[in-house]
Structures are given as structure tokens and as C-alpha cells.
Amino acid sequence: MTDTTDAGDPREATGALVRDLSETELLAQIFPLLPRGRATLLGPGDDAAVVAAPDGRFVVTTDVLVQDRHFRRRWSSGYDVGVRAAVQNLADVAAMGAVPTALVVSLVVPGDVEVAWVTGLARGLADVCAPVGATVVGGDLSGGDALVVAVAAHGDLEGRDPVTRSGARPGDVVAHAGVRGRSAAGLALLDSGAAAPADGAPGAAGPLAPYVAGYLRPAAPLAAGPAAAVAGATAMLDVSDGLLRDAGRLATASGVALDLEVAALAADGEALVPAVRALGRGAGAALAWVLSGGEDHGLLATFPPGAPLPAEFRPVGTVRVAGGGPGVTVDGAPPEVGPGWDHFRG
Amino acid sequence: MTDTTDAGDPREATGALVRDLSETELLAQIFPLLPRGRATLLGPGDDAAVVAAPDGRFVVTTDVLVQDRHFRRRWSSGYDVGVRAAVQNLADVAAMGAVPTALVVSLVVPGDVEVAWVTGLARGLADVCAPVGATVVGGDLSGGDALVVAVAAHGDLEGRDPVTRSGARPGDVVAHAGVRGRSAAGLALLDSGAAAPADGAPGAAGPLAPYVAGYLRPAAPLAAGPAAAVAGATAMLDVSDGLLRDAGRLATASGVALDLEVAALAADGEALVPAVRALGRGAGAALAWVLSGGEDHGLLATFPPGAPLPAEFRPVGTVRVAGGGPGVTVDGAPPEVGPGWDHFRG
């Protein structure tokens, strides 16, 4: 990747720009890309949508993606950003044990962005939503100097209690569903120039494709959230800021200590070796990605000892009494890598 | 107002900046400002909130405010922006005939913004929500180069059908709740320098205070939405882009013509005379604000002939057969002022 300007994704054909269309015309291009979901009672086009909440409650979360903070236009297509926006929001819904139902999207888009970027965004959102039966039911468009994609996502608990972060108890098994470290590896490859966005384009099959695609379009185990709830998970959260940091949040909320086992994560490190080699780094980089890499959007959950884990989950540690205060250890010792990142301190 | 830089609101004391705090520390300042709502089953702090939907459905809408597009920092305090963000979203909920229950907020905030701006925003959101029993149940924070406030708002239909834009029938009475033209007058006063933001600060009592405050902190008739639904409204929408433009949307969705009566709007024009005089404009400016001024967030609704109107509503016209296609007339003739504004074409 030698292009260092931020002038858009080469995979998107040049065409009409957002400023060439009225808001109504732009919406007319977007709406047909958003199939009706099973919970949609009234879709886009009115002051508000109406969504079914058969359980008499709904879960709701919001997450925002900001150009040059969470994505770069020269790396991420509109489709990629749509996938990420949907995944990071629906992972939060799944982490409560809920089944996703509906999204609304506020999009800030500069006038010189291609219409194809925006329709790509809609396709990315729809492609994540469709397999779980959810859809985009409404949105708002505004001009602005940088792209901002703010999503609110909703889900249904199907009569179950929500699985919060605070229910882990000493003796519980710590388990994880999804990939670990893949997105961080992909980001490092793009950042170094060892891989290009095309290496992670849909359908790309090279040795670095899993990592680059894993950064551009993370795949969250959305069905694993409700499965964990059914299996009796005592606590759960979406791993968005790194395994250590998010495990720390669960530990703090539950007032417990979480001990992660390196042996249980060794296979994750092995899976990252081609990326480590492409970057010429030492083997320690792989474990650092596994423990501290963000944006894989896996699910970290705790289960009562002896409870059968849902198929997507693998045990990665144990909940212990918080003798020295709530926190996370790795093989019984304080972790040696940083705890993740902060949105403002960078 | 001689200050033409965009360096912040003089009403906010200089203090800690957002970049001085971690996200966790900033959230710790915000959460206590958000009282629990009656529908809140699980509030902020987990991956998602849980909100009651006793009706088995919920309405949801999203609207975004962007710095230098929808507000200017030298005019609007964080509190003002919080009020506007809540009002424009809750007005959409009310326009469906629903009672507001919960909001989520995605906030993009540059590091050099004062923490007091952000806590002011939270107070503004809370002050609009509290009287209707709603609250903020979750949010997301991100850095960025410009302030963006994206809200998703939710409401409960209390067992009623949603009031859409498409149910108006020839013979129905067109009625409006809320103020008309006030926000546009306030914007014109600020834009010309004839008034300063301090003229519209909370508690200001000068002759121009209603207009400036009406722009900075519009007051929507939120309770009028459910009242209209109970009274049998056949169609309804929030007037955010001007009476003519939004009436046109209702006419198009319903396949009817809406005829507005100038005589019914004359009192609105009278109420704007002090603003017209302060600007040295002709009397025509007042009617133009009434017909085309946006962001008052009143409710426009249609009612069956003879139906008693809820107290907040005043008749402003009649629904007619769309002989020449759906559209809006004023005293039976095509309107002489522009139809409002477009978000991209400006």
C-alpha cells in the first residue's frame, strides 16, 4: 500500500457524490438495500419506526465510528465500515444474552464522499443483520467534515434475565467465543505496509487475508450470546478493547479476580504466527495481540463450574476470590502487557 | 455579539478539558446527572441497557446534531445542545403518538472541549427527559475533530396504533401544536448580531429572549403527541424543517392536498413582530418564518372533521382531495415562499 493520502478506497468506482443528491434522493438509494426484519412493524420513512418487543422489554446500546479515529478511508470501504458498525453494536446486544432485532443509524457524511460509499455502508450493515434476523429500521443523514457512523442497536431477551457483567462468582469457568488478536494483527499489517487493504477484500485468499479481513470486517459470534444465556452464563461482555482490559471490567463489576491461562490461549497465538512473521516480529507479539488486541468483538463469559459450554465457547481461565481486589491475572501473575487503550488518552 | 471565533461559550467557566480525563473518569461525571426513568430496568454501565416495553412494541428514531452544521459553539452551550438533541428526538417519538421512555447518546467530542460542556449536555438532555419520565440509559464517547451528538430515542405506544404520516383524509382538520417561526426568528437575530446568545440564556427576560431561547432551546409539545393519538389523529409528524415542507411530506405520504389558512397563522406572525422590528425587516419576514422556519419541533396533525382537538392544538387548515397531485396550498394558492431547506444542498 503506497497510497498515503486519505482520498477513498480504490475498490469503489468513482461516481456520483453525496452533494450531487438531495437527502431524499440519497435515502431512496439506501432504503431498498435494507430488507425488512422479522421484528419490524413499521420501517423507515416516518418520524420513527415501530419494532416488536415480544418480551415486554428491549435491550439497547449505541456505538459510534469516527473517520480517522476508528477507520481510515484509504483502508476501509463503506461496506467494511458498515460491517464494523453493525458488528460492534450487535455484539453488545448479544453480550446481554439478547437476540438482535433492529438498528437505527445516524450518518454524518461530507458532500465529497461517493454515493457508492454510502450504499456500500448500507450493504455492510444489512449483511451483518440479515443472518440474525435484524435490520436497519431508521436513520438520519447530515453533512459534516468527517464521516461519523453512530448506530443504536436493539435486541429481545426472549423472556430470560439479561446477562450483566456483575454476576461472576469464584469457581466459575471463564470462557470466550470468537477470535482473539486477529483484528490487532490485521491493523499492524496495514499500519506497517506489510499488507494492503486488497489483501483483506471480500474473497481474498492470500496468507494474510484472515488478519486484514478480521480487522476490516470483524465477525462476532452473535448467536453465542443468547446460547450462553440459555446455558446459564453468570456474566458476559463483548471484548472490544482487548481481552485483559475487558476481563478487568467484568472482574471489577463482579468483585472477583479472573485468572487467564496462557496454555488455553496458545492456539490463538499459533494462529497469528504468519502475521508475526510477515512483520518480522518476535513470538511475543502474538500473545500480546491475543491478550490486548481490541475490536475482535468476541464474547467473554463466565459459567458455573461443570456447566456444559455452548459450542462456540472455549474455557480460557477461572474466576477466583478477589483477595487483593478485583482484577485479572495471567497464570496467577499480573499481566506483563499493557491493559488496552483509552479513547481519549490514546 | 462581536466574538466571531468559535472558541466556546462564554457562559461556561474554563476548567478541565475532555483530554485531561479518561473515558471512565468522564463517564463518572456524566452518569450521576442522568436520573433513572420509570422504564429503566437496567441503566448505563453494562454492554447494553434494558428498557421496559409494556406494550410489546417500541418506537425508535435517531437524529444527529453536528457542530457548525446544526449549532455553533459560540452561540450554543453544552446545555443548549443537550436540550435540542433531546427535543428533536423526543418530538419524533411524540409524533408517532408514543410516550418517550429512553434515550441513548453517541457523543463525538474533541479533546480540547471543556468537561463542563459535556456535563452541561447531560444536564440539558436530562432536563427535557425528566418531565416526560424518560431518561438517558446508555451512550458512547469518542474523540474527533468536531462535536457530534447522535441520539436514538424510544417510546411506548400504550396499546394504541402508531400515528403515521399517511392517514390524512379529505375533510380532515389540519392542526398544529407548539410555536411556529420562533426558532427561525432567533437564528436570524443571532446571525445578524441583533441579539447575542446571552439574550436567550436561561432566565433572560429581554424583549428578544423568547426568540433567541426558542432557537437555542426549542420547547416541543411532547405531551401533545399521545394526546393527539387518543383524540383520533389520522396523521401526524414533527415540524423540524418548516411548516410548508413538513406539511408537504404529510400530504405526499397521505396522497392528499393540505390547504393552510393565513388567517389561522396571523397570530403567529404578530408574535414575531418584535424580532422583525429588531432586524429592520418588513412584515413579510414574519409570515415567511411561520411558514418556512425550521426547528420549532411543533406537531402537525390531522383530525377527523368535528373531532374535539386536544388543548395544545389549533386548527390551521383543511385536508382536500389531491386534484393536482399531493401538495400544500396557502389560502388555496401555491405558497410564495421557499419550501424549506435540504441537508446537503444547503
Side-chain angles (χ1 to χ4, degrees):
Chain A
M1 190 70 187
T2 55
D3 174 19
T4 56
T5 66
D6 210 16
D9 187 299
R11 285 172 283 168
E12 281 156 5
T14 301
L17 303 181
V18 164
R19 65 165 168 249
D20 298 330
L21 271 62
S22 71
E23 184 175 7
T24 305
E25 291 165 343
L26 187 55
L27 289 173
Q29 298 221 17
I30 295 172
F31 285 166
L33 304 173
L34 305 171
R36 196 177 178 87
R38 62 164 182 261
T40 308
L41 302 175
L42 181 69
D46 220 292
D47 286 50
V50 184
V51 179
D55 164 286
R57 304 165 295 174
F58 62 91
V59 305
V60 56
T61 182
T62 186
D63 259 318
V64 62
L65 289 175
V66 180
Q67 180 180 346
D68 297 330
R69 297 273 170 159
H70 302 99
F71 65 90
R72 298 176 187 182
R73 288 207 60 204
R74 68 177 188 271
W75 289 351
S76 294
S77 68
Y79 181 85
D80 293 342
V81 174
V83 168
R84 273 179 69 185
V87 162
Q88 71 174 17
N89 277 278
L90 295 185
D92 282 332
V93 168
M96 304 302 289
V99 176
T101 54
L103 273 62
V104 292
V105 182
S106 270
L107 175 64
V108 180
V109 56
D112 63 357
V113 168
E114 302 81 11
V115 171
W117 196 96
V118 179
T119 54
L121 180 88
R123 270 189 285 267
L125 291 163
D127 280 0
V128 175
C129 286
V132 292
T135 191
V136 177
V137 296
D140 189 28
L141 288 169
S142 170
D145 293 333
L147 284 155
V148 176
V149 185
V151 172
H154 307 83
D156 189 74
L157 287 163
E158 299 184 321
R160 295 181 297 270
D161 285 339
V163 183
T164 67
R165 300 177 177 186
S166 59
R169 295 293 169 259
D172 283 355
V173 173
V174 181
H176 182 275
V179 298
R180 292 169 284 266
R182 190 180 287 179
S183 176
L187 176 58
L189 288 165
L190 288 171
D191 208 29
S192 70
D199 293 323
L208 302 180
Y211 316 111
V212 179
Y215 167 73
L216 296 175
R217 296 181 305 285
L222 299 176
V230 170
T234 53
M236 183 155 53
L237 87 175
D238 159 50
V239 180
S240 53
D241 293 334
L243 193 55
L244 285 179
R245 188 179 172 105
D246 285 312
R249 289 175 172 146
L250 194 153
T252 300
S254 295
V256 297
L258 259 61
D259 186 50
L260 304 178
E261 295 155 28
V262 168
L265 302 168
D268 297 313
E270 287 295 318
L272 300 176
V273 164
V276 171
R277 286 193 180 138
L279 287 164
R281 294 197 191 168
L287 185 61
W289 286 333
V290 170
L291 288 174
S292 297
E295 303 195 336
D296 285 317
H297 297 294
L299 296 174
L300 186 71
T302 55
F303 294 88
L309 299 185
E312 300 92 334
F313 281 89
R314 277 178 38 206
V316 295
T318 311
V319 180
R320 299 188 176 169
V321 175
V328 180
T329 52
V330 177
D331 286 346
E336 289 175 15
V337 294
W341 67 294
D342 185 276
H343 295 276
F344 295 107
R345 288 189 171 147
Chain B
M1 189 73 186
T2 55
D3 174 18
T4 56
T5 65
D6 209 15
D9 186 298
R11 284 172 285 167
E12 281 156 5
T14 301
L17 303 180
V18 164
R19 66 166 168 247
D20 299 328
L21 273 62
S22 72
E23 184 176 6
T24 304
E25 290 165 342
L26 187 54
L27 289 173
Q29 297 221 15
I30 295 171
F31 285 166
L33 304 173
L34 305 172
R36 195 178 179 87
R38 62 165 182 261
T40 308
L41 302 175
L42 180 69
D46 220 292
D47 287 51
V50 183
V51 179
D55 164 287
R57 304 164 296 173
F58 62 92
V59 306
V60 57
T61 182
T62 186
D63 258 319
V64 62
L65 290 175
V66 180
Q67 179 180 347
D68 297 331
R69 297 275 170 156
H70 302 100
F71 65 90
R72 298 175 187 182
R73 287 207 61 205
R74 69 177 188 270
W75 289 350
S76 295
S77 67
Y79 182 85
D80 294 341
V81 174
V83 168
R84 273 179 69 184
V87 162
Q88 70 174 17
N89 277 278
L90 295 186
D92 282 332
V93 168
M96 304 303 289
V99 175
T101 54
L103 273 63
V104 292
V105 182
S106 270
L107 175 64
V108 180
V109 55
D112 62 357
V113 169
E114 301 81 10
V115 171
W117 196 97
V118 178
T119 53
L121 179 89
R123 270 189 285 266
L125 291 163
D127 280 0
V128 175
C129 287
V132 292
T135 193
V136 178
V137 296
D140 189 28
L141 289 169
S142 170
D145 292 333
L147 283 155
V148 176
V149 185
V151 172
H154 307 81
D156 189 74
L157 288 163
E158 299 183 321
R160 296 180 297 269
D161 286 339
V163 184
T164 67
R165 301 177 177 186
S166 59
R169 296 291 169 258
D172 283 356
V173 173
V174 181
H176 183 275
V179 298
R180 292 169 282 269
R182 190 180 288 179
S183 176
L187 175 58
L189 289 165
L190 288 172
D191 208 30
S192 70
D199 294 323
L208 303 180
Y211 316 111
V212 178
Y215 167 73
L216 295 176
R217 296 181 307 283
L222 299 176
V230 169
T234 53
M236 184 157 50
L237 88 176
D238 160 49
V239 180
S240 53
D241 293 335
L243 194 54
L244 285 178
R245 187 178 173 106
D246 285 312
R249 289 175 173 147
L250 194 153
T252 299
S254 294
V256 297
L258 260 60
D259 186 49
L260 303 178
E261 295 155 28
V262 168
L265 302 169
D268 297 314
E270 287 296 318
L272 300 175
V273 165
V276 171
R277 286 194 180 138
L279 287 165
R281 295 198 191 168
L287 186 61
W289 286 332
V290 171
L291 289 173
S292 298
E295 304 195 335
D296 285 318
H297 297 294
L299 296 174
L300 187 71
T302 55
F303 295 88
L309 298 185
E312 300 91 333
F313 281 89
R314 277 177 38 206
V316 296
T318 311
V319 181
R320 298 189 177 168
V321 175
V328 181
T329 52
V330 178
D331 287 345
E336 289 175 16
V337 294
W341 67 296
D342 185 276
H343 295 274
F344 296 108
R345 285 187 174 150

